[in-house]
């Protein structure tokens, strides 16, 4: 018998499996991790396939099995191949992407945690005799008596010199027991009774449990979507099947996780980047050992090795976090569709602001559309107001409009909570000399440096570059540096100045680097240790804070001003999601949106809370300009530290594409929106087409051509988020 093995050697130059002979002493199965000879060394690999014969000469033998537990199952092997085809990555990259770091091909460390117990090593009569005959060894006798009573005692609780004697005499022995780092044992919460509207959605999906079918649940924030997920998952588990629930990011999972634990107790494994390697290892073990039926996690949890899936649910399906922005550039929704197809099960996509692509498919009937129009209970949708910052600027109100200031004061007095959104971190987004006009820029990228006051440093948000701030202008040596462009750090200071009585907490990438920082901020805010939560778009995602009655958008234009065909959609979705944070229980919520673009269609539709109208207007624009969902896109970037190399190869690439593709619109090469990052010049070519299949082979060829070109690299992003 022969095995096809994928090895850790990660190069597109040798992107294939290797064949090894299976020695008769080893019981090899597909999905096992094995040790094989490779050149003069040994190397780890995964068995992907077993076959009866091979026509190759001089086939070497598999040396050993590293892990008899099947890490990859049959389904995941298919998913890996799908991932490779979909994103054009190598097979090794595909499998490495699917596994948590402790299980990757080249790893074989055991991260298990054990507790040592002491137990008796002889029958009771023997021990009793020993006790009677050795009364003078009081400490030993005490240990033995305790063990007779308690059966097993943690080793650390027992006096060690007497214990050693007992061990030597073989009266007791040590037993190791594996424990998981996350170990949930709690009372399970009772079911909520679904409302009529919820029940209807629930039954619709339940009736199609045994079909490959995609549902789009368009439900306003707070309409009880999560409770429907739970009900469906319970049913699936009762049928003896398993489920995956994806959420966009870790800051969210803490709240949803608590809820999952309350409903499913220890039957849940979690997978997200906030876990330590050992925690991830444990959670993965729970899945491999079939000890849990539900996996909750972020993007990569879509690769969880659950067998017998019964449903996949993707919450906040519009979130950009479901797409990985480095190689392999996959979208978890595509993987979910493929796994739903393999298992013949429903995929539920849900959002208060579905992506335009999903909504278009649902309105066309490709997906089954389900809606929840009402919030649960007495809670109603918030009252939204727009403030024209052009007028406010004339009154010198640059950060807080009069209206927002008054509302903040009002809510503080009423002891209600406030959320303020500003989508830029740092203190000021550019530092300029008022004397000579000098502006700090990143030496590696085409972008201004952001000033961070806490560390008194200037930082590039694209590369690692950072430097201490000078006290005077480095060019004209005048003491005239000024800090422009408001960031969250400065906003925090301004709030403290203007509302000294308010207790303020900031949540952005800078305040949430440490483990559990996000959870702490959220818990403290939920427990009313703060009046105001301010932060970047991190704070707009799905939280449920009952005391929040005011959401202020400091500057609605940050996302509008990014030149991209999705900027309207992003703005609409972000603002509507942020508004959804206001007034979640019995109090009415208010939202104030500050903008310099008060007549923009995205902002006006937020004001009317009109998703469908936004959808119609946006679809018209997409149709005219030929953008998704009317066409598919692929974005190709050609990068080099040498300007001419980048340009020449970009031109060659464009010619190659033009002569190999038909029925494809090829735009460019043109400079990428950030032309230089990390010292690399970047040109881009955009492809627009109607049929996904016609480009695949040409792109594969193109990718191969670039393997042999030095000092230039190519990045192919199929279905990019940004152009
Ligand atoms: P969404 O996921 O749409 O934002 P949730 O499922 O989180 O909505 O529901 C919002 C709030 O209403 C939660 O506190 C939830 O427990 C509660 N809730 C949802 N459905 C019901 C119901 N049928 N009966 C009572 N409370 C409910
Ligand atoms: Zn930089």
């Amino acid at each position: 018998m022969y095995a096809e093995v994928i090895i850790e050697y990660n190069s597109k130059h040798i992107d294939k499996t290797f064949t090894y002979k299976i020695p008769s002493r080893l019981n090899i199965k597909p999905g096992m991790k094995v040790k094989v000879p490779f050149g003069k060394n040994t190397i780890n690999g995964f068995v992907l396939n077993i076959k009866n014969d091979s026509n190759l000469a001089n086939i070497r033998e598999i040396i050993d099995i590293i892990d008899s537990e099947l890490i990859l199952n049959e389904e995941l092997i298919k998913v890996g191949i799908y991932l490779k085809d979909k994103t054009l990555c190598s097979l090794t990259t595909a499998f490495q992407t699917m596994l948590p770091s402790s299980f990757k091909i080249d790893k074989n460390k055991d991260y298990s945690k054990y507790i040592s117990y002491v137990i008796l090593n002889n029958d009771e009569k023997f021990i009793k005799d020993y006790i009677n005959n050795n009364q003078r060894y009081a400490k030993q006798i005490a240990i033995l008596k305790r063990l007779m009573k308690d059966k097993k005692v943690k080793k650390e609780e027992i006096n060690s010199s007497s214990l050693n004697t007992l061990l030597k005499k073989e009266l007791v022995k040590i037993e190791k027991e594996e424990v998981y780092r996350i170990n949930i044992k709690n009372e399970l919460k009772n079911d909520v009774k679904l409302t009529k509207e919820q029940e209807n959605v629930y039954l619709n999906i339940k009736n199609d449990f045994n079909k490959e079918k995609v549902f789009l649940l368009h439900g306003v924030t707070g309409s009880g979507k999560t409770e429907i997920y739970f009900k469906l998952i319970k049913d699936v588990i009762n049928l003896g099947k398993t489920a995956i629930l994806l959420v966009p990011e870790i800051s969210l999972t803490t709240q949803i996780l608590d809820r999952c634990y309350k409903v499913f107790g220890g039957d849940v494994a979690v997978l997200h980047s906030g876990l330590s390697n050992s925690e991830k290892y444990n959670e993965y073990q729970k899945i491999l050992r079939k000890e849990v039926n539900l996996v909750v996690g972020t993007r990569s949890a879509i690769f969880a090795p659950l067998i017998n899936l019964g449903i996949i649910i993707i919450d906040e399906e519009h979130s950009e976090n479901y797409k990985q922005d480095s190689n392999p550039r996959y979208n978890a929704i595509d993987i979910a569709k493929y796994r739903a197809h393999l298992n013949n099960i429903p995929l539920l996509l849900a959002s208060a602001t579905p992506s335009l692509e999903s909504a278009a498919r649902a309105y066309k009937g490709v997906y089954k559309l389900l809606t929840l129009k009402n919030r649960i209970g007495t809670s109603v949708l918030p009252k939204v107001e727009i403030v024209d910052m052009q007028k406010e600027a004339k009154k010198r109100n640059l950060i807080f409009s009069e209206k927002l200031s008054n509302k903040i004061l009002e809510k503080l007095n009423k002891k209600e909570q406030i959320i303020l959104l500003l989508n830029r971190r740092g203190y000021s987004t550019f530092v300029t000399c008022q004397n000579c006009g000098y502006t700090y820029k990143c030496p590696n990228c085409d972008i201004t440096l952001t000033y961070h006051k806490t560390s008194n440093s200037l930082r590039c948000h694209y590369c690692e570059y950072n430097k201490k701030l000078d006290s005077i202008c480095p060019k004209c040596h005048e003491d005239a540096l000024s800090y422009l462009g408001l960031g969250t750090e400065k906003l925090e200071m301004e709030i403290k100045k203007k509302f000294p009585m308010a207790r303020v907490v900031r949540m952005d990438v800078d305040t949430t680097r440490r483990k559990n920082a996000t959870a702490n901020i959220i818990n403290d805010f939920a427990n009313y240790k703060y009046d105001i939560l301010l932060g970047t778009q991190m704070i707009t995602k799905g939280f449920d804070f009952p005391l929040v009655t005011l959401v202020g958008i400091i500057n609605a234009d940050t996302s509008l001003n990014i030149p991209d065909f999705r900027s309207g959609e992003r703005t609409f979705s972000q603002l509507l999601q942020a508004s959804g944070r206001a007034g979640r229980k019995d109090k009415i919520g208010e939202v104030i949106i500050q903008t310099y673009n008060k007549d923009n269609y995205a902002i006006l539709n937020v004001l009317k809370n009109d998703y469908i109208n936004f959808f119609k207007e946006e679809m018209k624009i997409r149709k005219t300009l030929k953008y998704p969902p009317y066409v598919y896109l692929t974005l190709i970037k050609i990068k080099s530290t040498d300007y001419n190399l980048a340009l020449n190869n970009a031109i060659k690439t464009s010619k190659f594409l033009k002569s190999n593709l038909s029925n494809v619109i090829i735009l460019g090469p043109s400079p990428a929106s950030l032309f230089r990052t990390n010292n690399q010049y970047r040109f881009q070519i955009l492809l627009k087409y109607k049929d996904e299949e016609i480009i695949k082979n040409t792109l594969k060829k193109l990718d191969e051509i670039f393997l042999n070109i030095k000092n230039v690299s190519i990045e192919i992003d199929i279905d990019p988020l940004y152009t």
Side-chain angles (χ1 to χ4, degrees), residues 442 444-445 460 463:
C442 175
N444 312 318
C445 308
C460 172
C463 69

Side-chain angles (χ1 to χ4, degrees), residues 335-531:
I335 309 291
K337 275 185 197 162
Y338 184 62
R339 290 192 78 175
H341 163 73
L342 291 176
N343 288 282
N344 201 31
I345 55 163
L347 164 63
L348 172 58
L349 306 173
S351 172
T353 54
S355 72
L356 221 65
E357 281 98 327
S358 296
R361 287 189 186 121
Y363 293 137
K364 249 174 77 180
V366 181
Y367 296 168
K368 169 120 181 127
L369 180 66
L370 302 168
T371 44
L372 290 172
K373 292 206 168 71
N374 302 301
R375 282 187 160 188
I376 294 290
T378 49
S379 165
V380 288
L381 286 170
K383 196 173 111 212
V384 184
E385 279 179 89
I386 289 178
V387 175
D388 180 0
M389 287 307 278
Q390 263 168 358
K391 279 194 190 146
E392 293 291 318
K394 289 190 190 120
K395 296 186 254 173
R396 310 284 308 149
N397 293 332
L398 296 174
I399 301 177
F400 301 102
S401 60
E402 219 169 283
K403 183 156 251 160
L404 185 57
S405 307
N406 291 339
K407 277 289 165 202
I408 293 176
L409 277 176
E410 181 194 318
K411 301 294 176 188
L412 289 174
N413 284 335
K414 282 202 210 156
K415 306 232 173 310
E416 293 173 0
Q417 285 179 302
I418 300 154
I419 288 180
L420 297 176
L421 172 75
L422 176 67
N423 230 344
R424 283 202 206 120
R425 64 194 178 89
Y427 183 82
S428 85
T429 48
F430 52 106
V431 180
T432 296
C433 173
Q434 302 229 297
N435 184 45
C436 72
Y438 174 85
T439 300
Y440 282 96
K441 286 208 173 122
C442 175
N444 312 318
C445 308
D446 272 347
I447 193 162
T448 57
L449 293 172
T450 296
Y451 175 54
H452 287 252
K453 202 175 179 94
T454 323
S455 51
N456 192 36
S457 62
L458 291 155
R459 287 196 225 149
C460 172
H461 286 180
Y462 281 86
C463 69
E464 297 291 295
Y465 183 81
N466 86 76
K467 77 184 285 284
K468 281 263 169 269
L469 181 74
D470 312 293
S471 53
I472 50 169
C473 172
K475 195 170 157 219
C476 71
H477 308 291
E478 280 294 315
D479 180 7
L481 292 176
S482 91
Y483 306 90
L484 304 173
L486 180 69
T488 43
E489 218 181 339
K490 183 165 181 189
L491 178 64
E492 185 183 7
M493 288 183 53
E494 294 291 332
I495 296 173
K496 285 179 174 158
K497 240 193 278 172
K498 204 170 160 83
F499 308 101
M501 60 300 211
R503 301 163 301 163
V504 184
V505 64
R506 168 163 63 98
M507 188 161 112
D508 55 29
V509 176
D510 300 308
T511 63
T512 52
R513 275 185 224 281
R514 253 180 286 141
K515 193 173 156 74
N516 296 332
T518 315
N520 291 340
I521 295 176
I522 290 165
N523 286 337
D524 288 348
F525 188 64
N527 291 327
Y528 195 41
K529 289 194 185 150
Y530 297 103
D531 302 294

